[in-house]
C-alpha cells in the first residue's frame, strides 16, 4: 500500500524512496491493481490522485502473486470516504473495472 507521505509499503516496510506524491485534503485517490498478464504494467499496483497517476506503478511482492488480495485502508487523524463502485470517483485516463464490477471469477468472497 501507500502511506500519506507517498511511500510504497510492503511486508518488509517501506520501499526505497518515495513512490508517489504526498496526500492532501479533499483529494480523490484510486488504487489500480493490474493483473493483466498482457500489460506492460502486469502485476503492479498504482496510485491515482484526482484521476492522474501520482507515481510510477509498483511491483507486487512475489509472495502475493496468484493469491487473494483484500482491499484495506489503515489511517489515523483523518476522515476517509470509500467507494468500491459502481464507478470511479474521478475519471481515469483508461477504462478499468471497479471492485463492484469485477467478474465473479476474479474475486473471492468471504463467507
Amino acid at each position: 500500500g501507500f502511506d500519506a507521505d507517498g511511500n510504497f509499503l510492503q511486508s518488509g516496510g517501506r520501499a526505497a524512496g518515495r513512490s508517489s506524491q504526498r496526500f492532501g485534503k479533499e483529494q480523490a485517490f484510486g488504487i489500480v491493481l493490474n493483473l493483466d498478464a498482457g500489460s506492460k504494467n502486469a502485476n503492479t499496483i498504482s496510485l491515482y490522485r484526482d484521476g492522474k497517476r501520482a507515481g510510477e506503478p509498483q511491483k507486487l511482492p512475489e509472495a502475493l502473486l496468484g493469491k487473494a488480495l483484500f482491499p484495506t485502508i489503515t489511517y489515523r487523524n483523518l476522515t476517509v470516504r470509500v467507494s468500491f463502485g459502481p464507478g470511479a470517483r474521478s475519471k481515469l485516463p483508461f477504462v478499468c473495472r471497479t471492485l463492484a464490477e469485477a467478474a465473479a471469477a476474479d474475486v473471492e468472497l468471504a463467507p
Side-chain angles (χ1 to χ4, degrees):
F2 299 90
D3 70 10
D5 291 323
N7 297 300
F8 181 63
L9 307 174
Q10 44 189 316
S11 61
R14 290 183 180 166
R18 183 175 287 174
S19 57
S20 72
Q21 302 163 3
R22 188 165 170 46
F23 292 20
K25 288 184 175 182
E26 302 300 322
Q27 295 175 325
F29 285 92
I31 302 290
V32 175
L33 177 63
N34 186 342
L35 300 178
D36 180 1
S39 168
K40 70 175 185 171
N41 292 323
N43 297 318
T44 62
I45 185 169
S46 297
L47 180 68
Y48 285 80
R49 181 178 73 187
D50 297 325
K52 295 184 176 100
R53 188 182 292 279
E56 292 301 312
Q58 301 297 307
K59 290 253 182 234
L60 289 175
E62 292 287 327
L64 296 180
L65 297 179
K67 297 196 175 169
L69 303 174
F70 300 92
T72 305
I73 299 172
T74 304
Y75 62 93
R76 73 174 176 205
N77 300 327
L78 58 105
T79 301
V80 176
R81 288 184 288 171
V82 178
S83 172
F84 291 114
R89 288 183 131 355
S90 293
K91 186 168 175 60
L92 296 170
F94 51 85
V95 176
C96 69
R97 294 181 296 186
T98 64
L99 186 59
E101 300 167 317
D106 292 336
V107 296
E108 184 175 309
L109 300 176

